[in-house]
Amino acid sequence: MGPIRIIPIVLFNGAQAVKTRRFSCPRNVGSVVNVARVYAGRSVDELVFLDIRQERHSIGPDFDTVTLFAKEMNCPFSVGGGIRTVQDAVRLLDCGADRVVVKRDGAELVPAIANEIGRQAVIYACDLYGPDCEKQLITAANMGAGEVLVQSVDRDGTMEGFDLRALLIADRIFTKTPFIWASGAGSHDDFIEAAWSGAQAIAASSAFHFTAITPDSAKNALREDGFKVRQ
């Protein structure tokens, strides 16, 4: 197993960073640019920014805000939200993003975007819901993206721990495509359990906003348990 990456996810709704619970009831947690600055100062491995405005898919990505992110970042970052065309993805990279995140409503674009900007620059966001997670994970693994971000709708924002049953299924399915595991982290033990269950990249949001856990402290906990982490 290679070094484990710790990846903060930042949801934003216009100028505000927000946090959701089970993908609903967004709660403001401050200026999204200020949040980006804080993470930039914490030497994180990378960041994922997701624009969750409901109308975003019809009006396209927020290129101006992404340009602001690029001015603040000293680490790689990915951006998702409203990608409707291959040109949208290309323009996000031109604005400074390192990768783009494509969600289910734009899944048909993944092959064309990967062909244009490179598979390694495309993340597919798989939002797990309902009982049949295996079918959803198989679909995500075969989507053609360079990496898959797996988010559990039921665990989002709860800080009650990751869905380890689904994670073990994902570890069996994702043999060729790397994946990022998200949704549910609330303690250092959750990061350690995810790593033991096969996650090589672990994402969190609420834990970094509402607890004393930081990306560095999560890395230290993993290191103390014998795991290699990205330096």
Side-chain angles (χ1 to χ4, degrees), residues 32 45 50 52 58 67 74 108 126 148 161 164 180-181 208 225-226 231:
V32 65
D45 296 327
L50 300 176
I52 67 167
S58 62
T67 300
N74 54 10
E108 73 283 353
C126 172
V148 175
L164 297 180
I180 304 165
W181 200 258
F208 297 146
D225 215 64
Q231 298 299 318

Side-chain angles (χ1 to χ4, degrees), residues 53-60 81-84 105-106 108-109:
R53 278 180 282 188
Q54 293 302 309
E55 72 272 17
R56 180 52 56 203
H57 186 65
S58 62
I59 62 177
I83 297 174
R84 302 166 299 167
D105 54 5
E108 73 283 353
L109 292 172

Side-chain angles (χ1 to χ4, degrees), residues 34-92:
N34 285 343
V35 169
R37 286 173 181 156
V38 169
Y39 281 127
R42 289 182 173 177
S43 302
V44 297
D45 296 327
E46 57 189 277
L47 280 163
V48 172
F49 293 97
L50 300 176
D51 188 341
I52 67 167
R53 278 180 282 188
Q54 293 302 309
E55 72 272 17
R56 180 52 56 203
H57 186 65
S58 62
I59 62 177
D62 187 342
F63 299 109
D64 291 339
T65 298
V66 175
T67 300
L68 292 176
F69 293 156
K71 292 179 180 178
E72 301 295 337
M73 291 296 98
N74 54 10
C75 68
F77 71 97
S78 306
V79 178
I83 297 174
R84 302 166 299 167
T85 66
V86 173
Q87 289 69 34
D88 285 340
V90 171
R91 188 174 172 188
L92 284 170

Side-chain angles (χ1 to χ4, degrees), residues 84-107:
R84 302 166 299 167
T85 66
V86 173
Q87 289 69 34
D88 285 340
V90 171
R91 188 174 172 188
L92 284 170
L93 298 192
D94 288 342
C95 289
D98 295 274
R99 297 197 285 177
V100 298
V101 183
V102 181
K103 300 197 73 172
R104 186 177 57 174
D105 54 5

